[in-house]
Amino acid sequence: MFHQTDVRVLQPGLTPFPVDVFAPDQPWLADHLLPLIAIDLGLLRPELAGSVVTLLCPIEPYEGCLGDGTEAHHNAFASSNWLAFELQADNRLRFLGNEGYFQRAPQNSDALPVDEDLREHAAEMQDSHAAARAYFQQHGMLVSGVDVDDEDEEPQQQAYLDNLGGPFWHGNWTDYSTIPSAFRIEDLAGTTQRGTLHFRNDSAHLPDDGIRITHDGEPFFHVADVASYNWCASGADAILMFYEPRSRTVLFTFDWS
C-alpha cells in the first residue's frame, strides 16, 4: 500500500491549484468549493493512472458542519458533513447532490438568508486561497494565505497533504454525522459496554483501523487528507477524500478534532 505523509515535495501526478475541475453544467460549484490539489490515482494504484481527482476545500461552514441547515436539499449522496461526486471521463467532478445543499446557494435566500458572519467568512476563505495560489505561482511553495498577508512574519511552508494514500483512520469523522444513504460505513472494531458507556475496541490488528466504507457493496479507498488551514484561512482539521473505482465516486468528509 502506497502511503506518504507530510507531503511537501511535489512529484509528477500532483498539481496544486488546478483549474477546470467541475462539470461545465455546474459552474456554481466554484462559488462553494476551492480546488486545492489534483492527484493522479496512478500514484496509489497503477491501474488507475490517468484518473485524476481533485481535493476540494468547502468555503462553508462558518459554524457547524457543511450542509447544516439545508436538510431540505439533502439526498442519497449529500448530507451533513458528507458529499459525493462522480469523476467524469474528462476528470471533472460532477456533484451528485443539489445546489441548495450549500447555505449560500440562491435557493436558500428566503429560508436561510446569509448572515454577515458567513459572508465575511466566505470572502476570507476565497481571498486566502487566492493569496496562497499567487504565492505558489511565484515561489513554487505552499504557504497559508493568512501567512502571506502577515508582513511581520516570514511565510512558513505548509504540507500539500498530510497523508497521500495509506489506510483509513478512526476519528471524529467516522460517526460525527450520518453518512448519506447511498453509502455504508462500518466500524469493524465494535464496542464494549461498561455500565452505561460504550468503548471502542482496539482496532490495531484490523485493516484500515477497522473502518470500511462501501457503495453498492464496492469499497472505497483512502486517497488523501489535509488540514484546510494549510491552504486557506480556516476550516476542518482534516479534509478526507475517498474513491470507489467501479462507480468512479469521489467521497468527502471532514474531521473536526
Side-chain angles (χ1 to χ4, degrees):
M1 176 188 297
F2 182 92
H3 186 198
Q4 186 176 352
T5 62
D6 195 38
V7 178
R8 295 172 184 262
V9 177
L10 294 172
Q11 57 181 300
L14 296 177
T15 306
F17 302 104
V19 297
D20 299 328
V21 302
F22 300 121
D25 61 343
Q26 294 181 327
W28 41 266
L29 286 172
D31 296 331
H32 306 289
L33 299 161
L34 302 169
L36 302 185
I37 187 167
I39 302 169
D40 190 317
L41 292 173
L43 292 171
L44 308 182
R45 298 189 176 187
E47 69 274 16
L48 297 178
S51 293
V52 179
V53 295
T54 299
L55 190 66
L56 304 172
C57 177
I59 291 173
E60 301 168 12
Y62 170 67
E63 292 182 326
C65 287
L66 183 65
D68 281 358
T70 62
E71 287 79 7
H73 299 282
H74 292 185
N75 67 4
F77 297 93
S79 62
S80 180
N81 212 48
W82 293 89
L83 70 167
F85 299 78
E86 177 192 357
L87 183 65
Q88 299 185 303
D90 59 2
N91 287 326
R92 296 193 185 198
L93 295 172
R94 171 178 293 282
F95 183 41
L96 297 174
N98 305 306
E99 184 179 4
Y101 172 79
F102 301 99
Q103 291 183 16
R104 293 163 48 251
Q107 294 91 326
N108 298 320
S109 58
D110 293 330
L112 192 69
V114 177
D115 62 28
E116 190 58 31
D117 287 335
L118 178 54
R119 198 183 313 277
E120 291 179 1
H121 171 78
E124 183 181 33
M125 291 291 286
Q126 291 167 323
D127 290 347
S128 62
H129 180 262
R133 181 178 61 229
Y135 193 93
F136 173 79
Q137 291 171 342
Q138 183 175 0
H139 301 281
M141 184 174 74
L142 177 65
V143 302
S144 168
V146 177
D147 293 341
V148 173
D149 294 333
D150 190 343
E151 297 179 357
D152 297 327
E153 296 288 340
E154 183 71 21
Q156 299 296 310
Q157 183 181 14
Q158 303 290 332
Y160 297 102
L161 297 167
D162 292 329
N163 290 282
L164 175 61
F168 287 87
W169 46 272
H170 181 268
N172 289 340
W173 66 271
T174 55
D175 54 11
Y176 195 83
S177 56
T178 302
I179 197 168
S181 61
F183 312 110
R184 183 181 182 189
I185 185 169
E186 300 171 88
D187 186 351
L188 303 180
T191 60
T192 299
Q193 185 171 351
R194 298 172 188 167
T196 60
L197 300 178
H198 287 81
F199 296 87
R200 187 172 189 262
N201 298 326
D202 178 64
S203 58
H205 62 293
L206 296 172
D208 287 315
D209 207 11
I211 304 301
R212 175 178 167 85
I213 303 176
T214 56
H215 175 46
D216 292 335
E218 296 292 325
F220 283 85
F221 65 86
H222 173 255
V223 177
D225 62 78
V226 71
S228 173
Y229 38 79
N230 282 24
W231 297 77
C232 301
S234 60
D237 296 295
I239 304 168
L240 296 98
M241 179 169 64
F242 313 112
Y243 186 70
E244 192 281 288
R246 189 177 72 171
S247 64
R248 296 176 63 87
T249 301
V250 185
L251 180 63
F252 288 89
T253 192
F254 311 93
D255 190 81
W256 306 87
S257 297

